[in-house]
Amino acid sequence: MKYRFRFVLAIFAILYVLILSLVFAFYRHLALKDARQEAFYVLDTLNAVRDYVSTIQRPLLDELIGQKLLPSDFFDPRLQSSSYITREIYNIQKAKKNINYDYKLIATDPLNPAHLGDEFENEILEGFKEKRYDEFSKIITDDNVSYIYVGLPIKNSQASCIACHNINSVPKKLIEQYGKSKNFEGKVGDTIAMISFKMPVRDLLAYHINELIASAILLFVVFVLLSFLVFKIHEKMAKIKQQDEELMTHQSRLASMGEMIASISHQWKQPLAQISQALINLELYSDKDKLTKAKLSEKIGEIDEQIKFMSSTINDFKNFFDPKAQRCEFSSQNAIDQALKILNSVIKNSVINLDIQIKENFSHFGNINELIQIIINIINNAKDAFNEQNINERQIKICSFTSSRSRNISIENNAGNIDKKHIDKIFKPNFTTKKNGSGLGLYMSQVIMKKNNGFITVKNTQNGVIFTISFLNS
């Protein structure tokens, strides 16, 4: 349960990082969208200026010059250039620090060197001219600074534009001045240039920094609450599981209590018979006036010995069923001996031959009754198997030994093999092959061992089964 909870927390942490990354990606996409909107704003401004110059300003000036009201060189030609006017508006805004983006007009073979593009920009412009895309946006790096780059095409928006521009030319009216001639055939909709727009990513993200921080905090709070909820559920489940295990342990002991009581009655039969015999002898000696002080002391001694044996038997069973037994250090031989004392009459009545081999008498710190319960469960199962299989030569071999990684007690019998389809299920709760079995004995034995940093294994041998109880050394 502990490791499962840690796994769930790790999954939550990974999900938090992933969702936070998605949130960041969302705001980054939003920033890119904002950059595109800014670029479209610049393009709209440029187009508006172009439309004003081409439809209002230039026709009016041409009319005034034609009427000789103005000399032809009265205005600087740049004042009739939409790109020049737009650029000057941009420079004024930038000088006032009202904007944090950079843009320029990119054209093929322009007269103004400021409109020359680099290799990257020229490639994008050619893409617009070849109609490979309608707009271009990408995050680029320049001088170790990340920018959101947007490219938008500038097209001949109306027929009057063709008078000065086409797809691969400079203004026609300046050809004679610059002595440059090309094919000037063009039409409305041709791409004549493009806007190259870029803005630092950090500036765009700064627009949404408050939302980003608020989203991160909100996600963190949600995941903390979810983690707390999972922890409380885990804590509740662990408590329920512990209660279930305690209940099953109690049920397992109750299930074996009948056998324990029967064992007590068997173990008391002989001493009670001897006590009865001693009392009858005392009565006979008294009737015949032959009861001497020495004879009375002898018989009282015999009775006292039998009473001590019976008291010891009761104490063994009382200690085994004591729910408040303290954890202490005990030896493997001590646990084996106490289990066999409790099962003494069962073993005798079932005519089971025991072979005890204490190769290493290892010690363990814990509740000795828990190990005794495991040994009793395994031996009782062997006794039942002997009866079911009608085995005459009944043998149980108990061995205490150690290995490099564990301390072990093996219990081997010759009561026949466990069915292969059942052997992997015998430690599961409520699984039993007995007619009146509870299916709790071996399950609780495995639970007890796991609680004590150990485990139980089982495998078939040639004539029976061997269970190995192992305590890990670590």
Side-chain angles (χ1 to χ4, degrees):
M1 290 287 285
K2 176 177 67 175
Y3 297 108
R4 189 179 300 172
F5 176 65
R6 289 179 180 176
F7 176 74
V8 171
L9 282 183
I11 292 295
F12 269 26
I14 293 171
L15 284 176
Y16 175 74
V17 172
L18 287 176
I19 294 177
L20 197 60
S21 300
L22 290 175
V23 170
F24 181 78
F26 166 76
Y27 282 108
R28 185 172 177 173
H29 175 74
L30 197 60
L32 183 59
K33 186 177 179 180
D34 290 343
R36 290 171 60 208
Q37 288 178 341
E38 290 279 359
F40 275 111
Y41 170 75
V42 174
L43 178 61
D44 290 341
T45 302
L46 181 59
N47 286 334
V49 173
R50 288 173 63 210
D51 291 343
Y52 171 78
V53 170
S54 61
T55 59
I56 298 176
Q57 180 177 292
R58 185 177 291 120
L60 179 60
L61 291 177
D62 288 344
E63 181 182 350
L64 292 174
I65 292 172
Q67 295 175 0
K68 306 297 184 179
L69 296 176
L70 287 175
S72 59
D73 59 350
F74 184 81
F75 284 105
D76 188 330
R78 292 179 299 179
L79 296 179
Q80 297 188 57
S81 169
S82 59
S83 62
Y84 173 79
I85 296 171
T86 307
R87 187 71 188 182
E88 286 304 307
I89 294 172
Y90 164 77
N91 289 334
I92 293 171
Q93 289 177 321
K94 189 172 184 179
K96 293 181 179 180
K97 298 183 179 179
N98 292 332
I99 55 176
N100 57 355
Y101 61 83
D102 185 24
Y103 96 95
K104 66 178 180 177
L105 193 69
I106 304 298
T108 303
D109 199 12
L111 290 174
N112 188 345
H115 297 162
L116 280 170
D118 56 26
E119 183 180 354
F120 173 69
E121 291 168 327
N122 289 332
E123 183 180 348
I124 297 171
L125 177 57
E126 289 304 313
F128 285 132
K129 290 181 178 181
E130 295 171 4
K131 299 184 177 357
R132 280 184 283 162
Y133 31 74
D134 297 325
E135 61 181 69
F136 182 90
S137 58
K138 184 180 181 181
I139 295 178
I140 63 173
T141 302
D142 188 10
D143 293 332
N144 296 322
V145 178
S146 294
Y147 292 90
I148 293 179
Y149 178 88
V150 179
L152 295 174
I154 299 175
K155 300 180 179 182
N156 287 328
S157 58
Q158 49 191 307
S160 61
C161 297
I162 302 173
C164 294
H165 299 282
N166 73 10
I167 193 168
N168 285 313
S169 73
V170 298
K172 288 181 179 179
K173 294 180 179 180
L174 299 177
I175 291 174
E176 292 181 0
Q177 179 180 350
Y178 290 94
K180 189 162 185 176
S181 176
K182 284 191 176 183
N183 176 19
F184 297 107
E185 293 180 3
K187 58 183 182 295
V188 175
D190 284 344
T191 298
I192 56 176
M194 80 167 190
I195 288 178
S196 178
F197 176 96
K198 67 178 184 179
M199 179 182 285
V201 172
R202 64 174 180 272
D203 292 341
L204 278 167
L205 289 177
Y207 292 158
H208 306 285
I209 190 66
N210 291 333
E211 294 95 330
L212 185 60
I213 292 174
S215 299
I217 292 174
L218 180 62
L219 279 173
F220 179 76
V221 170
V222 169
F223 275 95
V224 168
L225 290 176
L226 283 175
S227 299
F228 178 75
L229 180 62
V230 169
F231 171 74
K232 297 303 289 184
I233 293 173
H234 164 79
E235 192 177 49
K236 186 68 175 178
M237 291 298 292
K239 187 175 181 180
I240 292 173
K241 184 178 179 182
Q242 182 181 0
Q243 290 174 346
D244 287 345
E245 289 179 356
E246 289 175 355
L247 178 61
M248 287 184 177
T249 301
H250 183 65
Q251 289 176 339
S252 177
R253 290 194 174 185
L254 287 177
S256 61
M257 188 173 287
E259 294 182 0
M260 297 294 114
I261 293 173
S263 180
I264 291 174
S265 67
H266 279 297
Q267 294 197 43
W268 274 17
K269 280 182 180 180
Q270 184 177 352
L272 284 174
Q274 290 182 359
I275 290 172
S276 176
Q277 183 65 41
L279 291 174
I280 291 172
N281 288 337
L282 285 174
E283 185 179 7
L284 290 174
Y285 283 126
S286 177
D287 290 343
K288 295 179 181 182
D289 294 328
K290 294 182 178 181
L291 182 60
T292 64
K293 187 176 182 180
K295 184 64 69 174
L296 179 62
S297 297
E298 178 187 348
K299 294 302 178 182
I300 290 175
E302 291 177 3
I303 293 172
D304 184 58
E305 184 179 346
Q306 297 303 319
I307 290 173
K308 286 180 179 178
F309 173 77
M310 293 169 68
S311 176
S312 175
T313 301
I314 285 294
N315 286 333
D316 289 339
F317 283 94
K318 179 177 70 69
N319 292 334
F320 173 68
F321 284 105
D322 184 6
K324 298 180 181 179
Q326 297 296 317
R327 291 167 61 85
C328 62
E329 188 168 338
F330 60 88
S331 67
S332 58
Q333 184 169 8
N334 188 15
I336 293 169
D337 289 344
Q338 289 196 39
L340 294 180
K341 281 179 69 177
I342 293 173
L343 293 175
N344 181 51
S345 63
V346 172
I347 293 170
K348 285 184 177 179
N349 291 333
S350 299
V351 195
I352 298 173
N353 296 316
L354 292 177
D355 179 10
I356 313 298
Q357 297 182 12
I358 307 298
K359 295 181 179 179
E360 283 93 19
N361 186 22
F362 64 83
S363 61
H364 178 73
F365 184 84
N367 188 336
I368 189 172
N369 288 341
E370 292 180 337
L371 181 56
I372 292 172
Q373 180 180 352
I374 295 171
I375 296 172
I376 288 173
N377 284 336
I378 295 174
I379 293 177
N380 275 332
N381 286 342
K383 181 258 297 180
D384 293 338
F386 284 133
N387 293 333
E388 290 176 6
Q389 300 297 327
N390 293 320
I391 305 295
N392 294 323
E393 296 293 329
R394 303 177 176 185
Q395 183 76 26
I396 291 180
K397 179 181 177 182
I398 302 176
C399 182
S400 172
F401 63 98
T402 61
S403 65
S404 59
R405 62 186 295 265
S406 62
R407 292 152 293 153
N408 314 282
I409 296 174
S410 65
I411 303 174
E412 182 178 359
N413 64 64
N414 63 334
N417 294 154
I418 298 175
D419 194 322
K420 289 182 179 180
K421 66 181 180 182
H422 294 152
I423 197 165
D424 293 330
K425 302 177 184 178
I426 62 173
F427 294 112
K428 292 183 178 180
N430 302 316
F431 177 82
T432 181
T433 57
K434 302 177 185 178
K435 291 181 180 179
N436 299 317
S438 64
L440 293 176
L442 289 177
Y443 166 71
M444 289 310 305
S445 297
Q446 189 72 280
V447 169
I448 290 170
M449 286 306 300
K450 287 181 178 179
K451 187 175 69 175
N452 284 274
N453 192 30
F455 55 90
I456 304 175
T457 59
V458 59
K459 67 177 181 179
N460 287 321
T461 60
Q462 184 175 359
N463 299 317
V465 176
I466 181 169
F467 287 85
T468 304
I469 305 165
S470 300
F471 296 96
L472 295 175
N473 291 330
S474 59

